[in-house]
């Protein structure tokens, strides 16, 4: 059901913070113990309420923020108490019964987090946030814990390490190549360029033959390769890899900085808003499609109807956005599932923001069947309308500037592209809202 008012949820967001110092007393003395706000997206509820970069999340549901809160927001817990602190020490209560969408958080690397890394309980998106924030020292601190976690997953215990098993360990057998990538980056930060090169080789081998990597993943690998080449005094190869990384992830500061260092004439350090904008944004989606609503990897209740983009946009209001996840050969992978999860959470809080989602699959590969069923069941539970469309002839993706899987696209009801950024970290959602307002 379209919004009855363009400002209803925004008005709520603007009233979401209340000064909370009198009720929390001495807690303002513990500055620096919470999760730091590293980014606030314009036009998001958090931004409209007044939360800014540099604030801290000090309590969530009357407890210190946990590691599983700071990236994706709460997953199962009902939100009833969220407390922030500004740089002057003033405390604020988030007054809405929902997560303060629109923020990115980063906690310090402590013993608890390192234990979780050793047990492989940290999502790669947590690691991505440190990379995005330019906190490479934090990734360096994770070096031994990342390696121990990978060895544990491959069945190498303490005795194996004492016998030197890690020296001949085939790391490419480890399924989470993204963790391997961050281990390579951690080795670089520790000054171990040769070890980093070996780990990166294993990470690339683990993904050999896969043409549908995430742009974040490909960009990370290219960035690490550039750093390794630089350590080996091969500046030409380093510049080539840095340019490849920049094309994939131009919004990541350390990638821009590295390219500027290697090729100052590129002028990318002080990147302007227009340079940072995907040229696809602001243009019309290049085609309409009519595809069968057939799930190639298992039925989630599809009616097997013929579905078009134009039909979906007719049911999208002027102040709503419509989302597409173009998957290529995958039916679903971990990245698309995190996008869906975050959209479902936003939809639960603001049900008239996203009018629907089309998952366009040209194949039936699924990264994890159980996760797919779990996340899509959450979408159904939260009421997020989504349809799986089978593009068996791969009609759609060749018309798009594909950079990996999924290609994320948010459009308005006229088919104008509002964002191609990620949805899991909310950047795509709130860029779309901001561009919708500008239009």
């Amino acid at each position: 059901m379209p919004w009855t008012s363009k400002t209803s949820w925004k008005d709520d967001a603007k009233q979401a913070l209340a000064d909370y110092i009198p009720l929390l007393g001495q807690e303002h003395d513990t500055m620096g113990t919470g999760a730091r706000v590293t980014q606030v997206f314009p036009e998001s509820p958090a931004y409209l309420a007044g939360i800014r970069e540099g604030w801290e999340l000090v309590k969530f549901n009357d407890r210190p923020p946990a590691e599983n809160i700071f990236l994706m927001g709460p997953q199962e817990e009902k939100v009833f108490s969220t407390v922030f602190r500004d740089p002057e020490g003033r405390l604020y209560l988030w007054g809405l019964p929902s997560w303060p969408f629109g923020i990115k958080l980063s906690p310090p690397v402590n013993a608890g987090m390192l234990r979780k890394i050793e047990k492989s309980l940290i999502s790669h998106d947590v690691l991505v946030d440190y990379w995005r924030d330019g906190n490479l020292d934090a990734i360096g601190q994770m070096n031994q814990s990342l390696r121990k976690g990978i060895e544990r997953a491959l069945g190498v215990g303490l005795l194996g390490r004492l016998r030197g098993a890690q020296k001949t360990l085939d790391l490419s057998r480890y399924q989470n190549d993204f963790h391997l990538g961050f281990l390579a980056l951690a080795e670089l930060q520790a000054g171990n360029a040769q070890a980093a090169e070996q780990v990166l080789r294993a990470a690339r081998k683990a993904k050999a033959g896969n043409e549908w990597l995430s742009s974040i993943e490909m960009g990370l690998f290219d960035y690490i390769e550039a750093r390794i080449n630089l350590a080996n005094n091969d500046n030409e190869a380093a510049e080539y890899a840095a340019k490849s990384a920049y094309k994939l992830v131009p919004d990541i500061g350390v990638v821009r900085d590295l390219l500027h260092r290697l090729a100052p004439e590129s002028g990318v350090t002080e990147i302007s808003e227009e340079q940072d904008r995907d040229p696809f944004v602001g243009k019309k989606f290049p085609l309409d499609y009519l595809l069968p609503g057939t799930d190639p990897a298992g039925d989630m209740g599809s009616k097997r109807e013929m579905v078009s983009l134009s039909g979906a946009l007719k049911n999208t209001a002027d102040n709503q956005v419509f989302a597409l996840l173009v998957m290529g050969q995958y039916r679903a992978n971990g990245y698309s599932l995190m996008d869906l999860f975050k959209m479902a959470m936003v939809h639960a809080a603001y049900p008239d923001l996203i009018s629907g989602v089309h998952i366009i699959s040209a194949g039936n590969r699924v990264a994890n069947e159980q996760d797919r069923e779990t996340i899509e069941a959450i979408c159904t539970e939260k009421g997020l309308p989504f349809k799986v469309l089978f593009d068996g002839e791969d009609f759609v993706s060749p018309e798009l500037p594909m950079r990996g899987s999924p290609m994320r696209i948010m459009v308005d009801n006229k088919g104008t592209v509002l964002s191609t950024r990620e949805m899991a970290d909310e950047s795509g959602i709130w860029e779309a809202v901001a561009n919708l307002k500008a239009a």
Side-chain angles (χ1 to χ4, degrees), residues 100-149:
F101 291 104
I103 58 173
K104 296 186 72 174
L105 300 162
S106 180
V109 178
N110 55 27
M113 174 174 286
L114 293 176
R115 283 194 296 271
K116 288 198 171 193
I117 292 172
E118 288 186 17
K119 296 179 180 179
S120 299
L121 296 177
I122 292 292
S123 164
H124 70 261
D125 290 272
V126 172
L127 303 173
V128 168
D129 263 12
Y130 285 102
W131 186 42
R132 285 187 187 279
D133 196 32
N135 194 352
L136 301 183
D137 288 341
I139 295 174
Q141 294 174 43
M142 302 173 188
N143 185 13
Q144 293 302 315
S145 296
L146 282 166
R147 184 171 286 277
K148 287 179 181 178

Side-chain angles (χ1 to χ4, degrees), residues 162-180:
L162 291 174
R163 290 175 175 172
Q166 74 272 25
K167 295 180 181 178
T168 58
L169 191 64
D170 182 6
L171 291 175
S172 64
R173 292 192 296 112
Y174 184 60
Q175 296 300 305
N176 194 326
D177 58 285
F178 217 64
H179 280 177
L180 286 172

Side-chain angles (χ1 to χ4, degrees), residues 325-382:
L325 297 175
V326 184
M327 295 301 303
Q329 68 185 19
Y330 276 108
R331 159 60 180 84
N333 60 18
Y335 311 109
S336 66
L337 294 179
M338 287 183 290
D339 288 332
L340 275 173
F341 176 80
K342 181 48 69 74
M343 284 191 284
M345 296 299 104
V346 171
H347 183 78
Y350 307 111
D352 297 316
L353 178 59
I354 303 169
S355 67
V357 184
H358 281 175
I359 304 168
I360 301 175
S361 172
N364 62 3
R365 294 182 60 189
V366 182
N368 188 306
E369 188 80 15
Q370 182 176 353
D371 287 349
R372 174 187 71 86
E373 294 177 354
T374 299
I375 297 299
E376 293 180 7
I378 290 173
C379 291
T380 301
E381 174 192 339
K382 302 299 182 184

Side-chain angles (χ1 to χ4, degrees), residues 214-273:
S214 160
S215 57
I216 287 286
E217 190 167 5
M218 292 188 295
L220 174 68
F221 288 179
D222 286 343
Y223 170 74
I224 295 169
E225 185 170 328
R227 293 269 309 271
I228 291 171
N229 288 330
L230 189 61
N232 292 332
N233 297 314
D234 189 344
N235 285 15
E236 184 177 350
E239 180 180 337
Y240 181 83
K243 286 180 177 177
S244 297
Y246 176 74
K247 288 178 182 178
L248 292 161
V249 285
D251 58 324
I252 293 184
V254 293
V255 173
R256 297 201 307 266
D257 292 344
L258 180 61
L259 180 55
H260 176 74
R261 175 183 172 187
L262 293 167
E265 70 280 2
S266 62
V268 299
T269 297
E270 297 298 329
I271 190 167
S272 71
E273 188 172 332

